[in-house]
Short mmCIF file of all heavy atoms in Angstrom, two decimals:
data_model
loop_
_atom_site.label_atom_id
_atom_site.label_comp_id
_atom_site.label_asym_id
_atom_site.label_seq_id
_atom_site.Cartn_x
_atom_site.Cartn_y
_atom_site.Cartn_z
N MET I 1 3.97 -4.52 -4.21
CA MET I 1 4.24 -4.19 -5.62
C MET I 1 3.02 -3.79 -6.37
O MET I 1 3.07 -2.90 -7.21
CB MET I 1 4.95 -5.37 -6.24
CG MET I 1 5.38 -5.12 -7.68
SD MET I 1 6.65 -3.86 -7.65
CE MET I 1 7.08 -3.87 -9.35
N SER I 2 1.89 -4.38 -6.07
CA SER I 2 0.67 -4.08 -6.78
C SER I 2 0.25 -2.61 -6.51
O SER I 2 -0.35 -1.95 -7.37
CB SER I 2 -0.45 -5.03 -6.37
OG SER I 2 -0.75 -4.90 -4.96
N ASP I 3 0.51 -2.08 -5.35
CA ASP I 3 0.22 -0.65 -5.03
C ASP I 3 1.01 0.26 -5.98
O ASP I 3 0.48 1.23 -6.52
CB ASP I 3 0.53 -0.28 -3.58
CG ASP I 3 -0.47 -0.99 -2.60
OD1 ASP I 3 -1.53 -1.36 -3.07
OD2 ASP I 3 -0.07 -1.09 -1.47
N VAL I 4 2.29 -0.01 -6.19
CA VAL I 4 3.13 0.80 -7.06
C VAL I 4 2.60 0.70 -8.50
O VAL I 4 2.54 1.69 -9.17
CB VAL I 4 4.58 0.37 -6.94
CG1 VAL I 4 5.44 1.13 -7.94
CG2 VAL I 4 5.15 0.63 -5.50
N ARG I 5 2.33 -0.52 -8.94
CA ARG I 5 1.81 -0.67 -10.26
C ARG I 5 0.51 0.06 -10.48
O ARG I 5 0.31 0.74 -11.51
CB ARG I 5 1.59 -2.17 -10.52
CG ARG I 5 1.60 -2.52 -12.01
CD ARG I 5 1.59 -4.05 -12.21
NE ARG I 5 2.97 -4.51 -12.07
CZ ARG I 5 3.35 -5.67 -11.47
NH1 ARG I 5 2.42 -6.37 -10.89
NH2 ARG I 5 4.59 -6.00 -11.43
N ARG I 6 -0.35 0.00 -9.50
CA ARG I 6 -1.64 0.77 -9.60
C ARG I 6 -1.40 2.28 -9.66
O ARG I 6 -1.99 3.00 -10.48
CB ARG I 6 -2.55 0.47 -8.38
CG ARG I 6 -3.83 1.20 -8.42
CD ARG I 6 -4.56 1.11 -7.08
NE ARG I 6 -3.80 1.63 -5.96
CZ ARG I 6 -3.60 2.93 -5.68
NH1 ARG I 6 -4.06 3.87 -6.44
NH2 ARG I 6 -2.82 3.24 -4.63
N MET I 7 -0.47 2.72 -8.81
CA MET I 7 -0.17 4.17 -8.76
C MET I 7 0.43 4.62 -10.13
O MET I 7 0.07 5.70 -10.64
CB MET I 7 0.85 4.48 -7.68
CG MET I 7 0.27 4.37 -6.26
SD MET I 7 1.51 4.55 -4.98
CE MET I 7 1.97 6.26 -5.16
N ASP I 8 1.21 3.80 -10.71
CA ASP I 8 1.78 4.08 -12.02
C ASP I 8 0.76 4.19 -13.10
O ASP I 8 0.71 5.08 -13.92
CB ASP I 8 2.84 3.07 -12.39
CG ASP I 8 3.70 3.45 -13.67
OD1 ASP I 8 4.00 4.64 -13.80
OD2 ASP I 8 4.04 2.56 -14.40
N GLU I 9 -0.18 3.19 -13.09
CA GLU I 9 -1.27 3.20 -14.04
C GLU I 9 -2.14 4.45 -13.89
O GLU I 9 -2.73 4.90 -14.90
CB GLU I 9 -2.08 1.95 -13.95
CG GLU I 9 -1.35 0.73 -14.43
CD GLU I 9 -2.02 -0.56 -14.04
OE1 GLU I 9 -3.08 -0.55 -13.36
OE2 GLU I 9 -1.49 -1.68 -14.44
N MET I 10 -2.33 4.95 -12.67
CA MET I 10 -3.13 6.12 -12.44
C MET I 10 -2.38 7.42 -12.64
O MET I 10 -2.95 8.54 -12.44
CB MET I 10 -3.68 6.03 -10.97
CG MET I 10 -4.53 4.82 -10.66
SD MET I 10 -6.07 4.83 -11.56
CE MET I 10 -6.89 6.13 -10.77
N GLY I 11 -1.12 7.36 -12.93
CA GLY I 11 -0.34 8.55 -13.17
C GLY I 11 0.05 9.28 -11.84
O GLY I 11 0.31 10.47 -11.85
N GLU I 12 0.06 8.54 -10.72
CA GLU I 12 0.33 9.13 -9.45
C GLU I 12 1.79 9.12 -9.01
O GLU I 12 2.13 9.59 -7.93
CB GLU I 12 -0.51 8.39 -8.33
CG GLU I 12 -2.00 8.50 -8.56
CD GLU I 12 -2.80 7.67 -7.61
OE1 GLU I 12 -2.20 6.94 -6.84
OE2 GLU I 12 -4.07 7.79 -7.64
N LEU I 13 2.71 8.52 -9.77
CA LEU I 13 4.10 8.51 -9.45
C LEU I 13 4.79 9.74 -10.04
O LEU I 13 4.72 9.98 -11.25
CB LEU I 13 4.80 7.25 -10.03
CG LEU I 13 4.29 5.95 -9.36
CD1 LEU I 13 5.09 4.77 -9.99
CD2 LEU I 13 4.48 5.97 -7.89
N LYS I 14 5.36 10.51 -9.20
CA LYS I 14 6.12 11.72 -9.60
C LYS I 14 7.41 11.32 -10.30
O LYS I 14 8.19 10.51 -9.77
CB LYS I 14 6.44 12.64 -8.40
CG LYS I 14 7.05 13.91 -8.76
CD LYS I 14 7.27 14.75 -7.50
CE LYS I 14 7.98 16.01 -7.92
NZ LYS I 14 8.31 16.87 -6.74
N ARG I 15 7.66 11.91 -11.45
CA ARG I 15 8.91 11.66 -12.16
C ARG I 15 9.58 12.94 -12.55
O ARG I 15 8.90 13.91 -12.91
CB ARG I 15 8.59 10.90 -13.43
CG ARG I 15 8.16 9.46 -13.24
CD ARG I 15 7.88 8.69 -14.51
NE ARG I 15 7.76 7.31 -14.41
CZ ARG I 15 6.62 6.67 -14.11
NH1 ARG I 15 5.51 7.38 -13.90
NH2 ARG I 15 6.62 5.39 -13.97
N ASN I 16 10.86 12.95 -12.50
CA ASN I 16 11.63 14.14 -12.89
C ASN I 16 12.54 13.74 -14.06
O ASN I 16 13.61 13.24 -13.90
CB ASN I 16 12.51 14.60 -11.66
CG ASN I 16 13.36 15.79 -12.05
OD1 ASN I 16 13.29 16.29 -13.17
ND2 ASN I 16 14.22 16.27 -11.18
N LEU I 17 11.99 13.88 -15.25
CA LEU I 17 12.68 13.42 -16.43
C LEU I 17 13.48 14.56 -17.09
O LEU I 17 14.32 14.34 -17.96
CB LEU I 17 11.70 12.85 -17.46
CG LEU I 17 10.90 11.64 -17.00
CD1 LEU I 17 9.93 11.21 -18.06
CD2 LEU I 17 11.84 10.48 -16.56
N ASP I 18 13.25 15.83 -16.70
CA ASP I 18 13.98 16.96 -17.30
C ASP I 18 15.37 17.09 -16.72
O ASP I 18 16.35 17.15 -17.50
CB ASP I 18 13.22 18.27 -17.01
CG ASP I 18 11.93 18.33 -17.68
OD1 ASP I 18 11.78 17.79 -18.81
OD2 ASP I 18 10.97 18.83 -17.12
N ARG I 19 15.58 17.05 -15.44
CA ARG I 19 16.92 17.14 -14.80
C ARG I 19 16.94 16.23 -13.60
O ARG I 19 17.02 16.66 -12.46
CB ARG I 19 17.15 18.60 -14.41
CG ARG I 19 17.21 19.54 -15.57
CD ARG I 19 17.52 20.92 -15.18
NE ARG I 19 18.81 20.94 -14.48
CZ ARG I 19 19.30 21.99 -13.83
NH1 ARG I 19 18.61 23.11 -13.84
NH2 ARG I 19 20.39 21.91 -13.18
N PRO I 20 16.92 14.93 -13.83
CA PRO I 20 16.98 14.00 -12.72
C PRO I 20 18.32 13.99 -12.00
O PRO I 20 19.32 14.36 -12.59
CB PRO I 20 16.73 12.64 -13.42
CG PRO I 20 17.23 12.79 -14.73
CD PRO I 20 16.98 14.23 -15.13
N PRO I 21 18.33 13.66 -10.69
CA PRO I 21 19.60 13.62 -9.94
C PRO I 21 20.49 12.51 -10.53
O PRO I 21 19.96 11.45 -10.94
CB PRO I 21 19.19 13.37 -8.55
CG PRO I 21 17.85 12.75 -8.67
CD PRO I 21 17.24 13.30 -9.89
N ILE I 22 21.76 12.78 -10.55
CA ILE I 22 22.76 11.71 -10.98
C ILE I 22 23.25 11.05 -9.71
O ILE I 22 23.96 11.79 -8.88
CB ILE I 22 23.87 12.33 -11.78
CG1 ILE I 22 23.26 12.92 -13.08
CG2 ILE I 22 24.94 11.29 -12.15
CD1 ILE I 22 24.29 13.69 -13.88
N LYS I 23 22.99 9.83 -9.46
CA LYS I 23 23.30 9.12 -8.22
C LYS I 23 23.82 7.74 -8.54
O LYS I 23 23.42 7.18 -9.54
CB LYS I 23 22.13 9.05 -7.29
CG LYS I 23 21.51 10.39 -6.94
CD LYS I 23 20.43 10.16 -5.93
CE LYS I 23 21.04 10.09 -4.56
NZ LYS I 23 20.16 10.05 -3.49
N ASP I 24 24.64 7.21 -7.66
CA ASP I 24 25.02 5.76 -7.79
C ASP I 24 24.49 4.94 -6.59
O ASP I 24 24.71 3.74 -6.58
CB ASP I 24 26.52 5.62 -7.98
CG ASP I 24 27.33 6.10 -6.79
OD1 ASP I 24 26.71 6.64 -5.83
OD2 ASP I 24 28.53 5.98 -6.81
N THR I 25 23.80 5.62 -5.67
CA THR I 25 23.17 4.91 -4.55
C THR I 25 21.83 5.55 -4.22
O THR I 25 21.67 6.74 -4.42
CB THR I 25 24.04 4.97 -3.30
OG1 THR I 25 24.27 6.33 -2.93
CG2 THR I 25 25.39 4.28 -3.49
N VAL I 26 20.93 4.74 -3.81
CA VAL I 26 19.62 5.29 -3.33
C VAL I 26 19.22 4.49 -2.09
O VAL I 26 19.61 3.31 -1.89
CB VAL I 26 18.47 5.12 -4.38
CG1 VAL I 26 18.75 6.02 -5.61
CG2 VAL I 26 18.30 3.68 -4.85
N THR I 27 18.47 5.12 -1.23
CA THR I 27 17.94 4.48 -0.05
C THR I 27 16.41 4.21 -0.33
O THR I 27 15.69 5.12 -0.68
CB THR I 27 18.05 5.35 1.17
OG1 THR I 27 19.44 5.61 1.37
CG2 THR I 27 17.44 4.67 2.36
N VAL I 28 16.03 2.96 -0.20
CA VAL I 28 14.66 2.58 -0.47
C VAL I 28 14.03 2.28 0.93
O VAL I 28 14.43 1.31 1.58
CB VAL I 28 14.49 1.36 -1.36
CG1 VAL I 28 13.07 1.02 -1.65
CG2 VAL I 28 15.28 1.59 -2.67
N PRO I 29 13.00 3.00 1.34
CA PRO I 29 12.40 2.75 2.64
C PRO I 29 11.59 1.44 2.61
O PRO I 29 11.25 0.99 1.48
CB PRO I 29 11.50 3.96 2.84
CG PRO I 29 11.23 4.49 1.49
CD PRO I 29 12.43 4.15 0.62
N VAL I 30 11.34 0.90 3.73
CA VAL I 30 10.54 -0.36 3.81
C VAL I 30 9.24 -0.11 3.12
O VAL I 30 8.52 0.86 3.40
CB VAL I 30 10.35 -0.75 5.29
CG1 VAL I 30 9.36 -1.91 5.41
CG2 VAL I 30 11.66 -1.04 5.98
N GLY I 31 8.91 -0.97 2.20
CA GLY I 31 7.60 -0.85 1.44
C GLY I 31 7.70 0.23 0.37
O GLY I 31 6.70 0.51 -0.30
N GLY I 32 8.92 0.82 0.15
CA GLY I 32 9.00 1.85 -0.81
C GLY I 32 9.42 1.33 -2.23
O GLY I 32 9.42 0.16 -2.43
N TYR I 33 9.68 2.24 -3.09
CA TYR I 33 10.14 1.86 -4.41
C TYR I 33 11.13 2.85 -4.96
O TYR I 33 11.26 4.00 -4.48
CB TYR I 33 8.96 1.78 -5.39
CG TYR I 33 8.21 3.15 -5.55
CD1 TYR I 33 8.65 3.93 -6.64
CD2 TYR I 33 7.25 3.56 -4.65
CE1 TYR I 33 8.05 5.22 -6.78
CE2 TYR I 33 6.70 4.81 -4.86
CZ TYR I 33 7.06 5.62 -5.91
OH TYR I 33 6.47 6.85 -6.05
N THR I 34 11.85 2.48 -6.02
CA THR I 34 12.74 3.36 -6.68
C THR I 34 12.59 3.09 -8.19
O THR I 34 12.52 1.89 -8.58
CB THR I 34 14.19 3.13 -6.28
OG1 THR I 34 14.33 3.49 -4.93
CG2 THR I 34 15.19 3.99 -7.08
N ILE I 35 12.50 4.08 -9.04
CA ILE I 35 12.46 3.94 -10.48
C ILE I 35 13.87 4.26 -10.97
O ILE I 35 14.37 5.37 -10.73
CB ILE I 35 11.41 4.84 -11.04
CG1 ILE I 35 10.01 4.44 -10.56
CG2 ILE I 35 11.43 4.75 -12.61
CD1 ILE I 35 8.88 5.37 -11.01
N LEU I 36 14.41 3.31 -11.69
CA LEU I 36 15.75 3.57 -12.31
C LEU I 36 15.57 3.86 -13.85
O LEU I 36 14.85 3.19 -14.51
CB LEU I 36 16.63 2.33 -12.15
CG LEU I 36 16.90 1.81 -10.78
CD1 LEU I 36 17.69 0.54 -10.82
CD2 LEU I 36 17.66 2.89 -10.01
N ARG I 37 16.30 4.87 -14.26
CA ARG I 37 16.29 5.19 -15.66
C ARG I 37 17.75 5.52 -16.01
O ARG I 37 18.38 6.40 -15.45
CB ARG I 37 15.43 6.45 -15.90
CG ARG I 37 15.33 6.83 -17.35
CD ARG I 37 14.32 7.97 -17.52
NE ARG I 37 14.22 8.33 -18.86
CZ ARG I 37 14.41 9.52 -19.42
NH1 ARG I 37 14.74 10.51 -18.54
NH2 ARG I 37 14.32 9.79 -20.72
N PHE I 38 18.26 4.76 -17.00
CA PHE I 38 19.66 4.93 -17.38
C PHE I 38 19.82 4.50 -18.86
O PHE I 38 19.06 3.67 -19.36
CB PHE I 38 20.57 4.16 -16.51
CG PHE I 38 20.37 2.69 -16.50
CD1 PHE I 38 21.11 1.87 -17.36
CD2 PHE I 38 19.45 2.09 -15.70
CE1 PHE I 38 20.87 0.46 -17.36
CE2 PHE I 38 19.15 0.73 -15.71
CZ PHE I 38 19.86 -0.09 -16.57
N PRO I 39 20.86 5.04 -19.57
CA PRO I 39 21.16 4.54 -20.90
C PRO I 39 21.76 3.15 -20.79
O PRO I 39 22.80 2.96 -20.16
CB PRO I 39 22.17 5.57 -21.46
CG PRO I 39 22.66 6.36 -20.27
CD PRO I 39 21.71 6.15 -19.11
N ALA I 40 21.15 2.24 -21.49
CA ALA I 40 21.66 0.84 -21.49
C ALA I 40 22.50 0.62 -22.72
O ALA I 40 22.17 -0.09 -23.59
CB ALA I 40 20.52 -0.15 -21.42
N ASP I 41 23.65 1.30 -22.76
CA ASP I 41 24.51 1.28 -23.97
C ASP I 41 25.87 0.63 -23.72
O ASP I 41 26.74 0.72 -24.57
CB ASP I 41 24.69 2.70 -24.48
CG ASP I 41 25.34 3.62 -23.51
OD1 ASP I 41 25.60 3.16 -22.39
OD2 ASP I 41 25.52 4.78 -23.82
N ASN I 42 26.00 -0.10 -22.64
CA ASN I 42 27.23 -0.75 -22.26
C ASN I 42 26.96 -2.26 -22.11
O ASN I 42 26.51 -2.69 -21.05
CB ASN I 42 27.81 -0.19 -21.00
CG ASN I 42 29.26 -0.60 -20.75
OD1 ASN I 42 29.81 -1.45 -21.52
ND2 ASN I 42 29.89 -0.03 -19.76
N PRO I 43 27.20 -3.09 -23.16
CA PRO I 43 26.80 -4.46 -23.07
C PRO I 43 27.59 -5.19 -22.00
O PRO I 43 28.65 -4.88 -21.65
CB PRO I 43 27.18 -5.02 -24.47
CG PRO I 43 28.00 -3.99 -25.14
CD PRO I 43 27.83 -2.68 -24.40
N GLY I 44 26.95 -6.23 -21.50
CA GLY I 44 27.52 -7.08 -20.47
C GLY I 44 26.55 -7.50 -19.45
O GLY I 44 25.30 -7.32 -19.58
N VAL I 45 27.01 -8.09 -18.39
CA VAL I 45 26.16 -8.50 -17.28
C VAL I 45 26.44 -7.61 -16.11
O VAL I 45 27.59 -7.40 -15.69
CB VAL I 45 26.50 -9.99 -16.85
CG1 VAL I 45 25.67 -10.39 -15.65
CG2 VAL I 45 26.24 -10.90 -18.05
N TRP I 46 25.39 -7.01 -15.54
CA TRP I 46 25.53 -5.94 -14.52
C TRP I 46 24.71 -6.37 -13.28
O TRP I 46 23.64 -6.89 -13.41
CB TRP I 46 25.04 -4.60 -15.03
CG TRP I 46 25.88 -4.15 -16.16
CD1 TRP I 46 25.68 -4.36 -17.47
CD2 TRP I 46 27.09 -3.43 -16.05
NE1 TRP I 46 26.69 -3.81 -18.21
CE2 TRP I 46 27.54 -3.24 -17.33
CE3 TRP I 46 27.83 -2.95 -14.98
CZ2 TRP I 46 28.74 -2.53 -17.63
CZ3 TRP I 46 28.99 -2.18 -15.23
CH2 TRP I 46 29.42 -2.07 -16.57
N MET I 47 25.24 -6.15 -12.12
CA MET I 47 24.61 -6.49 -10.85
C MET I 47 24.20 -5.30 -10.12
O MET I 47 25.03 -4.36 -9.87
CB MET I 47 25.53 -7.38 -10.00
CG MET I 47 24.90 -7.83 -8.75
SD MET I 47 25.99 -8.99 -7.91
CE MET I 47 24.98 -9.40 -6.43
N PHE I 48 22.94 -5.18 -9.72
CA PHE I 48 22.45 -4.16 -8.79
C PHE I 48 22.41 -4.88 -7.46
O PHE I 48 21.85 -5.95 -7.33
CB PHE I 48 21.03 -3.63 -9.20
CG PHE I 48 21.04 -2.86 -10.42
CD1 PHE I 48 20.75 -3.41 -11.63
CD2 PHE I 48 21.30 -1.48 -10.37
CE1 PHE I 48 20.77 -2.64 -12.82
CE2 PHE I 48 21.24 -0.70 -11.53
CZ PHE I 48 21.02 -1.30 -12.71
N HIS I 49 22.88 -4.24 -6.41
CA HIS I 49 22.92 -4.89 -5.12
C HIS I 49 22.97 -3.92 -3.99
O HIS I 49 23.29 -2.77 -4.15
CB HIS I 49 24.12 -5.87 -5.03
CG HIS I 49 25.41 -5.15 -5.12
ND1 HIS I 49 26.09 -4.64 -4.02
CD2 HIS I 49 26.18 -4.81 -6.22
CE1 HIS I 49 27.20 -4.03 -4.44
NE2 HIS I 49 27.30 -4.10 -5.74
N CYS I 50 22.63 -4.41 -2.83
CA CYS I 50 22.81 -3.68 -1.58
C CYS I 50 24.28 -3.74 -1.17
O CYS I 50 25.01 -4.64 -1.55
CB CYS I 50 21.91 -4.33 -0.53
SG CYS I 50 22.01 -3.57 1.10
N HIS I 51 24.67 -2.81 -0.36
CA HIS I 51 26.06 -2.77 0.10
C HIS I 51 26.31 -3.86 1.17
O HIS I 51 27.44 -4.09 1.55
CB HIS I 51 26.43 -1.39 0.60
CG HIS I 51 25.74 -1.00 1.85
ND1 HIS I 51 24.38 -0.65 1.87
CD2 HIS I 51 26.15 -0.98 3.19
CE1 HIS I 51 24.06 -0.35 3.14
NE2 HIS I 51 25.11 -0.58 3.93
N LEU I 52 25.28 -4.49 1.67
CA LEU I 52 25.43 -5.50 2.69
C LEU I 52 25.37 -6.86 2.08
O LEU I 52 24.42 -7.26 1.39
CB LEU I 52 24.32 -5.36 3.73
CG LEU I 52 24.24 -4.09 4.52
CD1 LEU I 52 22.98 -4.10 5.43
CD2 LEU I 52 25.48 -3.92 5.37
N GLU I 53 26.46 -7.64 2.19
CA GLU I 53 26.55 -8.99 1.65
C GLU I 53 25.33 -9.87 2.12
O GLU I 53 24.81 -10.68 1.35
CB GLU I 53 27.83 -9.66 1.97
CG GLU I 53 28.99 -9.10 1.19
CD GLU I 53 28.89 -9.20 -0.29
OE1 GLU I 53 28.37 -10.25 -0.74
OE2 GLU I 53 29.32 -8.30 -0.97
N PHE I 54 24.98 -9.73 3.41
CA PHE I 54 23.91 -10.50 3.98
C PHE I 54 22.64 -10.31 3.08
O PHE I 54 21.88 -11.24 2.88
CB PHE I 54 23.70 -10.13 5.38
CG PHE I 54 22.52 -10.85 6.05
CD1 PHE I 54 22.61 -12.24 6.31
CD2 PHE I 54 21.43 -10.17 6.41
CE1 PHE I 54 21.57 -12.90 6.85
CE2 PHE I 54 20.37 -10.83 7.03
CZ PHE I 54 20.43 -12.21 7.24
N HIS I 55 22.38 -9.08 2.73
CA HIS I 55 21.19 -8.83 1.91
C HIS I 55 21.23 -9.54 0.56
O HIS I 55 20.24 -10.10 0.06
CB HIS I 55 20.99 -7.34 1.72
CG HIS I 55 20.52 -6.65 2.93
ND1 HIS I 55 20.52 -5.25 3.08
CD2 HIS I 55 20.03 -7.11 4.11
CE1 HIS I 55 20.06 -4.93 4.28
NE2 HIS I 55 19.76 -6.07 4.93
N SER I 56 22.41 -9.55 -0.03
CA SER I 56 22.53 -10.30 -1.36
C SER I 56 22.30 -11.76 -1.12
O SER I 56 21.64 -12.44 -1.99
CB SER I 56 23.94 -10.11 -1.92
OG SER I 56 24.15 -8.72 -2.26
N GLU I 57 22.73 -12.33 0.03
CA GLU I 57 22.49 -13.73 0.29
C GLU I 57 21.01 -13.98 0.44
O GLU I 57 20.52 -15.12 0.19
CB GLU I 57 23.23 -14.11 1.57
CG GLU I 57 24.71 -14.13 1.42
CD GLU I 57 25.40 -14.38 2.75
OE1 GLU I 57 24.76 -14.73 3.74
OE2 GLU I 57 26.65 -14.21 2.78
N LEU I 58 20.24 -13.00 0.90
CA LEU I 58 18.79 -13.16 1.04
C LEU I 58 18.04 -12.95 -0.23
O LEU I 58 16.79 -13.04 -0.25
CB LEU I 58 18.28 -12.20 2.11
CG LEU I 58 18.76 -12.42 3.53
CD1 LEU I 58 18.25 -11.33 4.44
CD2 LEU I 58 18.30 -13.78 4.03
N GLY I 59 18.73 -12.62 -1.34
CA GLY I 59 18.11 -12.45 -2.62
C GLY I 59 17.78 -10.99 -2.95
O GLY I 59 17.07 -10.74 -3.88
N MET I 60 18.36 -10.05 -2.23
CA MET I 60 18.11 -8.66 -2.52
C MET I 60 19.14 -8.11 -3.46
O MET I 60 19.83 -7.14 -3.20
CB MET I 60 18.14 -7.88 -1.15
CG MET I 60 17.08 -8.22 -0.19
SD MET I 60 17.18 -7.27 1.28
CE MET I 60 15.94 -8.02 2.27
N ALA I 61 19.22 -8.76 -4.62
CA ALA I 61 20.12 -8.29 -5.69
C ALA I 61 19.47 -8.66 -7.00
O ALA I 61 18.52 -9.42 -7.07
CB ALA I 61 21.44 -9.03 -5.55
N LEU I 62 19.95 -8.03 -8.06
CA LEU I 62 19.37 -8.18 -9.39
C LEU I 62 20.49 -8.25 -10.36
O LEU I 62 21.45 -7.40 -10.31
CB LEU I 62 18.41 -7.00 -9.65
CG LEU I 62 17.95 -6.83 -11.09
CD1 LEU I 62 16.90 -7.92 -11.39
CD2 LEU I 62 17.36 -5.46 -11.26
N ILE I 63 20.41 -9.16 -11.31
CA ILE I 63 21.41 -9.23 -12.39
C ILE I 63 20.71 -8.90 -13.67
O ILE I 63 19.61 -9.43 -14.00
CB ILE I 63 22.13 -10.61 -12.46
CG1 ILE I 63 22.76 -10.87 -11.16
CG2 ILE I 63 22.94 -10.77 -13.66
CD1 ILE I 63 23.96 -11.80 -11.17
N MET I 64 21.34 -7.98 -14.44
CA MET I 64 20.73 -7.60 -15.75
C MET I 64 21.77 -7.89 -16.84
O MET I 64 22.96 -7.59 -16.68
CB MET I 64 20.42 -6.12 -15.73
CG MET I 64 19.31 -5.74 -14.81
SD MET I 64 18.94 -4.02 -14.75
CE MET I 64 18.41 -3.72 -16.37
N ARG I 65 21.25 -8.41 -17.91
CA ARG I 65 22.14 -8.65 -19.06
C ARG I 65 21.80 -7.69 -20.18
O ARG I 65 20.63 -7.67 -20.61
CB ARG I 65 22.03 -10.09 -19.58
CG ARG I 65 22.96 -10.47 -20.67
CD ARG I 65 22.86 -11.86 -21.07
NE ARG I 65 21.57 -12.02 -21.65
CZ ARG I 65 21.26 -13.05 -22.46
NH1 ARG I 65 22.11 -14.04 -22.67
NH2 ARG I 65 20.02 -13.16 -22.97
N MET I 66 22.72 -6.88 -20.56
CA MET I 66 22.50 -5.87 -21.62
C MET I 66 22.94 -6.37 -22.96
O MET I 66 23.90 -6.96 -23.09
CB MET I 66 23.21 -4.57 -21.31
CG MET I 66 22.92 -4.03 -19.94
SD MET I 66 21.24 -3.51 -19.89
CE MET I 66 21.13 -2.82 -18.33
#
């Protein structure tokens, strides 16, 4: 994670903010990262997770409260 943070601070992360792809799934390679950008205008509790239940059991999920 520190490598990604350093790259962000140095301006080395490529971003496409003009016409980003609209997706509901992404593949994150081992040691990779994904930057999510979305309108947070729907209140509630939302879960980001892998499609494999085993991964959720290992803690590879995130709950966000909007």
Side-chain angles (χ1 to χ4, degrees):
M1 184 65 173
S2 61
D3 290 340
V4 175
R5 201 171 279 138
R6 180 194 55 77
M7 290 173 66
D8 189 37
E9 291 169 356
M10 300 294 291
E12 297 174 356
L13 294 181
K14 183 179 177 183
R15 291 181 167 88
N16 178 4
L17 301 178
D18 295 323
R19 296 182 58 189
I22 298 174
K23 301 183 83 171
D24 62 358
T25 58
V26 293
T27 301
V28 182
V30 173
Y33 64 91
T34 297
I35 297 173
L36 301 175
R37 182 175 182 237
F38 61 94
D41 58 0
N42 192 355
V45 178
W46 297 91
M47 182 174 180
F48 290 94
H49 62 89
C50 178
H51 69 284
L52 299 174
E53 289 297 324
F54 177 68
H55 286 167
S56 293
E57 292 173 11
L58 293 176
M60 296 180 186
L62 168 73
I63 298 208
M64 295 180 61
R65 186 176 66 161
M66 305 295 186

